[in-house]
Amino acid sequence: MWGRNVSEQFAFKYYTTTLKDVYVYEVPFYMQHTGKQTLDINLSEHGFMDLYVRLPETLRPYMREGDNMAAFVNGYPCSIVQDRLQENYMLKMKGRMGDKVSFRFYSDSLKHVFATPDCVTYADAGTWGNATDYQTLPLETAFKLVNMRAVFAIEHYEAINTTLAEGDLLAAFVGDECRGVAKAELYDGQLIYDMQVTGTLDVNEEFVLKYYHPGNRYMFTCNKMFKFEAGGTIGNRNQPMGITLQVIE
């Protein structure tokens, strides 16, 4: 070490490339001209905060290798992932005292970025959670991101001078919102309706069916309610679910 005069004080800082973190020796070190000294220094973390977070239970079945997690301040990412153990993440972030911190999680399987509101206040050398108590993130998850397959066949319908035909439309509705459409197709001697129904993640939903016959512009409905199950199936092309239709008056 070199100094301009013997009254100068020095501080030590240590940077680790593995953790991408800076540590400091908080005791001032004084110049000793031509001297030699050996110190055992206790390093303190400087300018970073450790965050121990985990995914909510809703998202855990969709975890993939390509997922990613980050902490954000004012819309900008400010963290790195230091460790991941299944649904648990250990993040290290840089900020300023009092910054409000939110989180974003990218799900590779759902191709969606989930976000939290501000839920942590930054503090130098602070932590949120610990290695035995990970904080569950309040990620907003109620988005239409999941699907199920449903294959139907018409067992009975009530309408005068009407013959169901290829090209007719069967649609799934949750409330007034259309969640899936299938065109009638002839398969193995019968008309079937093969559709993908979209559901809302982590929301219990049921859907109803409505049928449109372009030939005479009739609209039919089915009185049965169907439960949406993410990744589930109703019927198949060889054994479709049979339904009964009634004309909407």
Side-chain angles (χ1 to χ4, degrees):
M1 295 171 55
W2 287 267
R4 292 185 175 87
N5 57 67
V6 294
S7 64
E8 286 187 327
Q9 296 180 5
F10 295 85
F12 289 111
K13 293 185 179 181
Y14 181 89
Y15 175 74
T16 162
T17 56
T18 302
L19 300 178
K20 296 182 174 59
D21 201 355
V22 175
Y23 292 78
V24 296
Y25 179 52
E26 296 179 345
V27 179
F29 177 76
Y30 292 88
M31 168 62 68
Q32 295 181 10
H33 180 55
T34 70
K36 182 178 180 180
Q37 186 173 356
T38 301
L39 295 175
D40 292 324
I41 59 176
N42 295 317
L43 297 173
S44 299
E45 194 172 24
H46 175 68
F48 287 85
M49 183 175 182
D50 291 327
L51 308 166
Y52 296 83
V53 298
R54 74 190 322 167
L55 293 178
E57 188 173 351
T58 301
L59 293 176
R60 294 173 195 172
Y62 302 96
M63 293 181 64
R64 299 291 184 273
E65 186 65 29
D67 296 348
N68 207 347
M69 177 81 73
F72 278 70
V73 172
N74 297 324
Y76 293 95
C78 55
S79 69
I80 60 169
V81 176
Q82 289 196 287
D83 192 23
R84 172 183 171 182
L85 179 62
Q86 297 181 345
E87 70 270 14
N88 297 332
Y89 287 83
M90 191 278 186
L91 306 177
K92 187 173 290 293
M93 70 165 290
K94 175 72 173 177
R96 296 179 302 178
M97 291 296 291
D99 278 345
K100 301 302 181 182
V101 184
S102 62
F103 296 84
R104 297 183 193 179
F105 169 72
Y106 171 71
S107 169
D108 190 46
S109 61
L110 296 172
K111 307 300 180 189
H112 187 80
V113 177
F114 298 89
T116 74
D118 291 338
C119 54
V120 181
T121 300
Y122 177 85
D124 271 348
T127 63
W128 192 48
N130 57 59
T132 59
D133 184 21
Y134 283 76
Q135 301 296 309
T136 301
L137 291 176
L139 292 164
E140 299 172 3
T141 60
F143 299 97
K144 298 176 185 66
L145 300 171
V146 286
N147 297 279
M148 70 177 298
R149 187 181 181 190
V151 185
F152 298 100
I154 310 305
E155 289 185 335
H156 179 73
Y157 64 97
E158 299 176 1
I160 300 173
N161 299 323
T162 299
T163 301
L164 305 185
E166 291 182 89
D168 290 358
L169 298 176
L170 183 69
F173 282 81
V174 175
D176 294 327
E177 185 176 15
C178 182
R179 297 289 187 87
V181 178
K183 280 189 176 183
E185 59 175 304
L186 194 61
Y187 179 79
D188 198 23
Q190 70 173 337
L191 289 175
I192 66 169
Y193 308 80
D194 189 344
M195 70 170 68
Q196 290 288 328
V197 183
T198 299
T200 307
L201 189 64
D202 198 33
V203 176
N204 293 323
E205 294 179 309
E206 292 184 322
F207 64 90
V208 297
L209 298 172
K210 295 181 181 180
Y211 189 103
Y212 179 67
H213 181 60
N216 55 17
R217 299 183 181 179
Y218 276 175
M219 183 73 77
F220 297 83
T221 188
C222 174
N223 289 332
K224 186 174 181 179
M225 300 282 292
F226 296 90
K227 183 179 180 180
F228 178 87
E229 182 180 349
T233 59
I234 297 176
N236 58 60
R237 294 179 70 85
N238 294 313
Q239 292 184 313
M241 168 70 72
I243 59 173
T244 298
L245 301 177
Q246 297 85 30
V247 174
I248 297 176
E249 299 295 341

